[in-house]
Amino acid sequence: MKTTGKVWKFGDDVDTDLIIPARYLNTSDPDELAQHCMEDVDPSFAGKVSPSDIIVAGKYFGCGSSREHAPIAIKAAGVSCVIAKNFARIFYRNAFNMGLLILECEDTDKFQTGDKLTVDFDSGEIIHTGTKKTFQSRPIPPFMQELVQSGGLMNYIEKKAK
């Protein structure tokens, strides 16, 4: 499975309050959450992000409150995957449970907003389409890919129960 998209670059310690501010947590409607995704970091993000775009960040993405609304908002905004140096553990698990692809890569400092990347989820390769340089992320285990391809844990369980 591969995706190509434009980079939206953020820094270190992007917490779940920055991903989806707590004032919008009175709903779990993905479309409504998407309208406010990353609003307190970049108010233009939700209006400008395009399907298959990619969020790139530094260390400890998704730290803070353990809310599943954060990966729901990112996924509903159309983001194809998040690449960060590392993730808060609860966000990591919530992302796969909600069907959002995430990759850990130490080289996120080499990407900037507006760059275009092609990501191969099977191999973990990230290709910067402008420079043609290839970077390696930690490949996603097949089981986790299957969770994402199913649309998240609930869909995966439903599919396996049939």
Side-chain angles (χ1 to χ4, degrees):
M1 187 165 62
K2 288 184 180 180
T3 190
T4 298
K6 184 179 73 178
V7 168
W8 290 83
K9 180 78 179 281
F10 297 97
D12 292 339
D13 304 314
V14 174
D15 65 31
T16 52
D17 279 330
L18 291 175
I19 296 168
I20 183 68
R23 62 187 174 275
Y24 301 115
L25 297 181
N26 55 357
T27 182
S28 292
D29 177 41
D31 294 332
E32 191 168 334
L33 293 171
Q35 293 174 25
H36 304 288
C37 185
M38 308 304 280
E39 181 176 287
D40 288 349
V41 182
D42 180 352
S44 72
F45 178 81
K48 293 183 177 178
V49 69
S50 298
S52 80
D53 282 356
I54 298 167
I55 289 177
V56 174
K59 297 176 186 171
Y60 211 42
F61 188 89
C63 58
S65 302
S66 60
R67 60 177 69 135
E68 66 276 5
H69 297 76
I72 291 170
I74 292 170
K75 184 179 171 187
V79 172
S80 63
C81 70
V82 179
I83 303 169
K85 290 183 187 240
N86 56 44
F87 295 90
R89 290 295 102 186
I90 191 70
F91 180 86
Y92 185 89
R93 191 62 208 182
N94 280 339
F96 285 102
N97 286 347
M98 295 300 136
L100 175 66
L101 280 165
I102 59 175
L103 293 167
E104 293 180 327
C105 175
E106 283 297 316
D107 298 312
T108 60
D109 294 336
K110 297 179 176 154
F111 309 131
Q112 300 302 319
T113 294
D115 289 350
K116 202 167 190 179
L117 303 177
T118 296
V119 180
D120 183 326
F121 297 108
D122 297 326
S123 67
E125 277 190 355
I126 301 167
I127 301 167
H128 187 289
T129 60
T131 64
K132 308 292 184 211
K133 288 186 178 176
T134 299
F135 302 89
Q136 188 63 48
S137 70
R138 188 181 314 171
I140 300 168
F143 166 71
M144 303 295 262
Q145 287 190 44
E146 195 174 348
L147 274 180
V148 172
Q149 289 170 346
S150 297
L153 181 61
M154 296 305 286
N155 291 339
Y156 174 82
I157 291 171
E158 189 176 305
K159 189 170 107 183
K160 291 291 182 182
K162 290 182 180 177

